[in-house]
Amino acid sequence: MALTADDKKQVKNIWSHIAPNAETWGSEALDRMFKSELQTTTYFSKYDLHTGSPHLKSHGKKVMDALTEAVNHLDNIPGALSKLSDLHAYELRVDPGNFPLLAHCILVVLAIHLPKKLDVCTHQALDKFLAAVACALTSKYR
Ligand code: HEM
Protein backbone atom coordinates (compact mmCIF):
# COMPACT_ATOMS: atom_id res chain seq x y z
CA MET A 1 0.00 0.00 0.00
CA ALA A 2 1.43 3.39 -1.03
CA LEU A 3 2.43 5.89 1.62
CA THR A 4 0.00 8.80 1.83
CA ALA A 5 1.15 12.39 2.35
CA ASP A 6 0.14 12.02 6.00
CA ASP A 7 2.12 8.76 6.36
CA LYS A 8 5.19 10.51 4.96
CA LYS A 9 4.79 13.31 7.47
CA GLN A 10 4.50 10.84 10.36
CA VAL A 11 7.56 8.90 9.21
CA LYS A 12 9.67 12.04 8.81
CA ASN A 13 8.60 13.31 12.23
CA ILE A 14 9.42 10.17 14.15
CA TRP A 15 12.61 9.54 12.18
CA SER A 16 14.18 12.69 13.62
CA HIS A 17 14.16 10.85 16.97
CA ILE A 18 15.42 7.59 15.47
CA ALA A 19 18.35 8.68 13.26
CA PRO A 20 20.57 9.86 16.17
CA ASN A 21 20.22 6.38 17.76
CA ALA A 22 21.00 4.43 14.58
CA GLU A 23 23.87 2.38 15.99
CA THR A 24 22.24 1.29 19.24
CA TRP A 25 18.71 0.71 17.99
CA GLY A 26 19.89 -0.86 14.74
CA SER A 27 22.07 -3.28 16.66
CA GLU A 28 19.17 -4.09 19.02
CA ALA A 29 16.88 -4.81 16.06
CA LEU A 30 19.45 -7.14 14.48
CA ASP A 31 20.07 -8.85 17.82
CA ARG A 32 16.32 -9.42 18.20
CA MET A 33 16.03 -10.80 14.66
CA PHE A 34 19.00 -13.14 15.07
CA LYS A 35 17.63 -14.49 18.37
CA SER A 36 13.97 -14.80 17.37
CA GLU A 37 14.54 -15.96 13.76
CA LEU A 38 17.60 -18.19 13.95
CA GLN A 39 17.75 -18.88 10.21
CA THR A 40 18.67 -15.23 9.59
CA THR A 41 22.08 -15.80 11.25
CA THR A 42 23.17 -17.99 8.31
CA TYR A 43 23.82 -14.89 6.18
CA PHE A 44 26.20 -13.51 8.79
CA SER A 45 28.50 -16.47 9.44
CA LYS A 46 31.57 -14.22 9.69
CA TYR A 47 30.02 -11.89 12.26
CA ASP A 48 30.35 -12.00 16.02
CA LEU A 49 26.61 -12.06 16.80
CA HIS A 50 26.85 -11.58 20.56
CA THR A 51 24.64 -8.83 21.97
CA GLY A 52 26.37 -5.46 21.61
CA SER A 53 29.30 -6.79 19.52
CA PRO A 54 31.16 -4.33 17.27
CA HIS A 55 29.79 -6.24 14.22
CA LEU A 56 26.20 -5.81 15.39
CA LYS A 57 26.75 -2.14 16.14
CA SER A 58 28.40 -1.29 12.85
CA HIS A 59 25.94 -3.29 10.77
CA GLY A 60 23.00 -1.96 12.78
CA LYS A 61 24.16 1.57 12.01
CA LYS A 62 24.52 0.77 8.30
CA VAL A 63 20.99 -0.62 8.12
CA MET A 64 19.45 2.33 9.98
CA ASP A 65 21.47 4.85 7.94
CA ALA A 66 20.11 3.22 4.77
CA LEU A 67 16.62 3.66 6.20
CA THR A 68 17.43 7.32 6.89
CA GLU A 69 18.40 7.65 3.23
CA ALA A 70 15.02 6.16 2.29
CA VAL A 71 13.25 8.59 4.65
CA ASN A 72 15.05 11.43 2.87
CA HIS A 73 13.67 10.14 -0.45
CA LEU A 74 10.16 9.02 0.42
CA ASP A 75 8.94 9.87 -3.07
CA ASN A 76 11.45 7.53 -4.67
CA ILE A 77 12.48 4.78 -2.24
CA PRO A 78 13.44 2.28 -5.00
CA GLY A 79 15.73 4.89 -6.56
CA ALA A 80 17.35 5.76 -3.22
CA LEU A 81 18.00 2.08 -2.42
CA SER A 82 18.85 0.89 -5.93
CA LYS A 83 22.46 -0.11 -5.15
CA LEU A 84 21.41 -1.91 -1.98
CA SER A 85 18.71 -3.66 -3.95
CA ASP A 86 21.33 -4.96 -6.41
CA LEU A 87 23.48 -6.10 -3.50
CA HIS A 88 20.74 -8.02 -1.71
CA ALA A 89 19.32 -9.56 -4.88
CA TYR A 90 22.37 -10.39 -7.00
CA GLU A 91 25.22 -10.82 -4.51
CA LEU A 92 23.76 -11.71 -1.14
CA ARG A 93 20.65 -13.49 -2.43
CA VAL A 94 18.84 -12.93 0.84
CA ASP A 95 15.53 -14.80 0.84
CA PRO A 96 12.81 -12.13 0.47
CA GLY A 97 10.88 -13.72 3.36
CA ASN A 98 13.51 -12.35 5.75
CA PHE A 99 12.75 -8.69 5.11
CA PRO A 100 9.42 -8.60 7.00
CA LEU A 101 11.20 -10.32 9.92
CA LEU A 102 13.75 -7.52 10.21
CA ALA A 103 11.04 -4.89 9.67
CA HIS A 104 9.06 -6.40 12.55
CA CYS A 105 12.08 -6.36 14.86
CA ILE A 106 12.85 -2.73 13.96
CA LEU A 107 9.27 -1.77 14.78
CA VAL A 108 9.41 -3.58 18.13
CA VAL A 109 12.68 -1.84 19.07
CA LEU A 110 11.21 1.54 18.12
CA ALA A 111 8.12 0.82 20.20
CA ILE A 112 10.33 -0.02 23.19
CA HIS A 113 12.29 3.23 22.91
CA LEU A 114 9.52 5.58 21.80
CA PRO A 115 6.38 4.20 23.45
CA LYS A 116 4.57 7.53 23.60
CA LYS A 117 5.50 8.67 20.08
CA LEU A 118 4.55 5.38 18.46
CA ASP A 119 0.80 5.89 18.44
CA VAL A 120 -1.42 3.89 16.08
CA CYS A 121 -1.08 6.31 13.15
CA THR A 122 2.71 6.43 13.42
CA HIS A 123 2.85 2.65 13.82
CA GLN A 124 0.83 2.22 10.62
CA ALA A 125 2.95 4.75 8.73
CA LEU A 126 6.21 3.09 9.82
CA ASP A 127 4.81 -0.32 8.95
CA LYS A 128 4.00 0.90 5.44
CA PHE A 129 7.40 2.57 5.14
CA LEU A 130 9.28 -0.60 6.13
CA ALA A 131 7.13 -2.64 3.72
CA ALA A 132 8.00 -0.17 0.93
CA VAL A 133 11.70 -0.55 1.77
CA ALA A 134 11.39 -4.36 1.72
CA CYS A 135 9.57 -4.12 -1.60
CA ALA A 136 12.35 -1.93 -3.04
CA LEU A 137 15.10 -4.24 -1.76
CA THR A 138 13.44 -7.35 -3.23
CA SER A 139 12.29 -5.78 -6.49
CA LYS A 140 15.21 -7.17 -8.49
CA TYR A 141 14.81 -10.86 -7.64
CA ARG A 142 14.11 -13.07 -10.64
C1 HEM B 1 24.39 -5.65 3.90
C2 HEM B 1 20.66 -2.62 4.56
C3 HEM B 1 17.71 -6.41 5.25
C4 HEM B 1 21.50 -9.39 4.96
C5 HEM B 1 23.63 -4.51 4.06
C6 HEM B 1 24.15 -3.16 4.03
C7 HEM B 1 23.11 -2.32 4.22
C8 HEM B 1 21.92 -3.13 4.36
C9 HEM B 1 23.16 -0.79 4.28
C10 HEM B 1 25.63 -2.76 3.86
C11 HEM B 1 25.91 -2.55 2.40
C12 HEM B 1 27.35 -2.16 2.15
O1 HEM B 1 28.22 -2.31 3.02
O2 HEM B 1 27.61 -1.67 1.03
C13 HEM B 1 19.53 -3.39 4.75
C14 HEM B 1 18.20 -2.86 4.97
C15 HEM B 1 17.37 -3.92 5.17
C16 HEM B 1 18.18 -5.12 5.07
C17 HEM B 1 17.84 -1.37 4.97
C18 HEM B 1 15.89 -3.94 5.46
C19 HEM B 1 15.31 -3.06 6.26
C20 HEM B 1 18.49 -7.54 5.28
C21 HEM B 1 18.01 -8.85 5.66
C22 HEM B 1 19.09 -9.69 5.60
C23 HEM B 1 20.23 -8.91 5.16
C24 HEM B 1 16.57 -9.18 6.07
C25 HEM B 1 19.15 -11.16 5.94
C26 HEM B 1 18.48 -11.73 6.92
C27 HEM B 1 22.59 -8.64 4.65
C28 HEM B 1 23.94 -9.18 4.52
C29 HEM B 1 24.78 -8.09 4.22
C30 HEM B 1 23.92 -6.91 4.16
C31 HEM B 1 24.36 -10.64 4.68
C32 HEM B 1 26.29 -8.13 4.00
C33 HEM B 1 26.97 -8.01 5.36
C34 HEM B 1 28.49 -8.01 5.26
O3 HEM B 1 29.03 -8.64 4.36
O4 HEM B 1 29.12 -7.38 6.12
N1 HEM B 1 22.27 -4.46 4.27
N2 HEM B 1 19.48 -4.76 4.81
N3 HEM B 1 19.82 -7.62 4.98
N4 HEM B 1 22.62 -7.29 4.42
FE1 HEM B 1 21.04 -6.06 4.46
Side-chain angles (χ1 to χ4, degrees), residues 30 33-34 37 39-47 55 58-68 70 81 83-84 87-88 92-103 106 129-130 133-134 137 141:
L30 288 173
M33 177 180 77
F34 291 141
E37 308 286 349
Q39 77 279 10
T40 58
T41 61
T42 56
Y43 297 98
F44 297 88
S45 53
K46 292 183 189 148
Y47 276 32
H55 278 143
S58 79
H59 194 66
K61 179 162 172 24
K62 281 187 198 170
V63 169
M64 296 305 275
D65 285 350
L67 293 176
T68 301
L81 300 183
K83 278 191 185 155
L84 267 188
L87 178 75
H88 285 79
L92 301 169
R93 305 223 46 93
V94 173
D95 185 315
N98 288 306
F99 288 87
L101 306 179
L102 179 55
I106 291 172
F129 165 66
L130 292 169
V133 167
L137 290 182
Y141 284 72

Side-chain angles (χ1 to χ4, degrees), residues 27-28 31-32 35 48-54 56-57:
S27 122
E28 288 173 14
D31 193 27
R32 187 167 278 267
K35 292 205 167 96
D48 170 2
L49 296 183
H50 288 98
T51 302
S53 77
L56 276 195
K57 283 186 183 165

